Amino acid sequence: MMMVCILAIVGGCAKDNQLICDDSQPLYDQADFPIGVAIALAPFDNNPTYRAVATQQFNRFTAENAFKAESLQPIQGLFQWEAADALVNFSAGTNKSIHGHTLIWHQQLPAWITTFEGDAEAWEQLFKTHIQTVINHFKGRVAAWDVVNEAFNEDGTLRNSIWRQKLGDGYIARAFVYAAEADPDALLFYNDFNLEFNITKRNSVLAHLDNLRKRGIKIDGIGLQMHVGIDYPEPSQIAEALRHVVSHSFRVHISELDVSVNLLGRAIEPTAALFERQADYLGKIVLHYKQIPKQYQYGITFWGVSDRDSWIPAYFGREDYPLLYDESYLPKPAYCKLVDVL
Ligand code: XIL
């Protein structure tokens, strides 16, 4: 779909506080697949502008942290649903779908899990109980889950996470079995980073998941996190990754998209030219995504609303501007480009 930018070039849209393109029409209205965003509860609850932009533009929400084990089960057996429920209920009232992220991961675990001392059976029980209690609680309200997140190393071997140490290599298979048992209708995803360009890792993940499917285990799709940068990887590598995943008949979720303008963490100038490059890069990714067959397009989810909310500066300690909106919640060239290519 084409759209007109009101001012084609401005010297740094954030600073000049000028609207460079019209964002009055929701992104999701212009796409034929869901357009999602990671929601952080603090700004969602406290910043009306954040909440308005998130609600107006996106039709799928992933909780950025609220569905992780440390949030949902901070103490063994004492599940804390309140914050996650508030987001899910809000979503239902505004026609958003929720992508459940994430059931089994090696990070953001509560201390009671990382220090748990029990035998194999006790570990299996803890593992199954977490998966099934969470899925059951949201059944009918959360239609898709990242069942396992980041289980592979860059060299294609299995990450020696606490789950693998305690449960053995078969834990990935069993996580999917337990998930399907709890909600046979939910879409079940494996989610990971760098699959966009690391062929060794991607081959291992695909071989592993193919094997589980051969054993009759339900796996519906793969989340490519897509924390990428304007200089790396090449969009053609991403196109190749998309084709590769589809050739194995997995739906593709671009699940945590952000486009760094400063992957190397240098001192940078956030110029208009830099944001144009970011826009071009994003445009290419989205055009490649549109090339895959419809039935494999689960959707594209951005990992945050605005540059103010991105996890990257805090997590990696670098200056960056990786999202669609600037720090004043004005759409950036990346937003304008997205509308052009959708
Ligand atoms: C990140 C969140 O954005 C941060 O707020 C949090 O401090 C750490 O986790 N891969 C994932 C996401 O699967 O859950 C991570 O989210 C980013 C990397």
Side-chain angles (χ1 to χ4, degrees):
M1 158 150 337
M2 290 302 292
M3 67 101 57
V4 182
C5 282
I6 297 168
L7 293 167
I9 309 267
V10 291
C13 43
K15 300 197 169 50
D16 296 349
N17 235 25
Q18 286 170 310
L19 199 60
I20 57 158
C21 67
D22 179 9
D23 69 343
S24 59
Q25 208 194 339
L27 284 172
Y28 66 79
D29 260 3
Q30 303 169 70
D32 43 18
F33 44 79
I35 304 283
V37 68
I39 297 290
L41 291 185
F44 192 74
D45 290 340
N46 301 313
N47 180 347
T49 309
Y50 174 101
R51 193 184 180 101
V53 173
T55 309
Q56 279 159 16
Q57 297 295 326
F58 303 93
N59 62 346
R60 175 179 286 147
F61 287 170
T62 303
E64 187 171 352
N65 292 298
F67 274 54
K68 292 172 179 173
E70 67 176 7
S71 306
L72 289 183
Q73 198 184 178
I75 296 169
Q76 184 167 20
L78 285 181
F79 287 84
Q80 303 284 308
W81 305 117
E82 206 182 325
D85 273 346
L87 183 65
V88 172
N89 293 339
F90 177 86
S91 306
T94 50
N95 272 327
K96 319 288 180 204
S97 62
I98 292 269
H99 185 80
H101 171 82
T102 176
L103 294 164
I104 296 300
W105 189 28
H106 63 286
Q107 284 186 29
Q108 293 181 271
L109 291 170
W112 74 267
I113 293 186
T114 53
T115 58
F116 186 77
E117 288 180 19
D119 59 11
E121 200 183 318
W123 269 98
E124 191 72 22
Q125 203 50 47
L126 166 174
F127 171 71
K128 180 177 179 182
T129 300
H130 183 76
I131 295 170
Q132 296 200 330
T133 307
V134 172
I135 294 184
N136 280 327
H137 179 80
F138 293 109
K139 206 163 166 174
R141 299 187 293 157
V142 173
W145 291 96
D146 287 338
V147 178
V148 177
N149 194 31
E150 302 182 353
F152 285 79
N153 294 314
E154 294 307 289
D155 67 1
T157 56
L158 280 181
R159 182 191 295 279
N160 200 22
S161 69
I162 192 162
W163 300 115
R164 178 171 182 255
Q165 289 169 34
K166 303 296 179 184
L167 302 166
D169 290 358
Y171 86 92
I172 301 176
R174 300 205 299 287
F176 280 94
V177 169
Y178 294 147
E181 208 174 272
D183 187 353
D185 296 327
L187 291 179
L188 305 181
F189 285 80
Y190 175 78
N191 193 55
D192 213 330
F193 59 90
N194 292 356
L195 300 177
E196 305 81 55
F197 60 85
N198 182 339
I199 300 171
T200 307
K201 184 175 185 180
R202 195 166 71 229
N203 279 332
S204 287
V205 168
L206 286 169
H208 197 94
L209 300 183
D210 280 348
N211 191 267
L212 302 195
R213 270 186 165 173
K214 273 196 206 112
R215 291 164 48 194
I217 297 171
K218 176 175 144 76
I219 302 171
D220 299 289
I222 298 185
L224 305 178
Q225 291 184 6
M226 205 82 55
H227 298 293
V228 291
I230 51 174
D231 294 315
Y232 193 81
E234 289 294 328
S236 60
Q237 291 172 278
I238 294 175
E240 178 55 32
L242 296 170
R243 283 194 294 269
H244 193 190
V245 171
V246 163
S247 74
H248 287 248
S249 306
F250 290 103
R251 286 170 221 235
V252 186
H253 184 198
I254 294 186
S255 57
E256 305 182 11
L257 179 57
D258 39 34
V259 179
S260 169
V261 295
N262 189 21
L263 268 188
L264 298 178
R266 297 192 167 129
I268 53 162
E269 262 309 306
T271 58
L274 193 65
F275 290 130
E276 289 302 329
R277 281 177 62 203
Q278 180 182 48
D280 287 343
Y281 186 95
L282 175 69
K284 286 180 185 153
I285 297 179
V286 174
L287 285 173
H288 287 312
Y289 189 74
K290 286 180 63 173
Q291 293 297 310
I292 68 172
K294 268 272 74 46
Q295 72 266 31
Y296 294 108
Q297 292 172 348
Y298 174 75
I300 297 182
T301 300
F302 290 87
W303 207 242
V305 178
S306 83
D307 290 341
R308 179 191 294 216
D309 317 303
S310 168
W311 70 303
I312 288 178
Y315 196 87
F316 295 106
R318 69 176 195 243
E319 184 177 354
D320 218 326
Y321 307 90
L323 293 167
L324 298 175
Y325 278 84
D326 72 17
E327 289 159 331
S328 320
Y329 295 91
L330 292 174
K332 291 164 60 187
Y335 178 100
C336 313
K337 176 63 84 174
L338 177 57
V339 170
D340 281 346
V341 300
L342 276 176

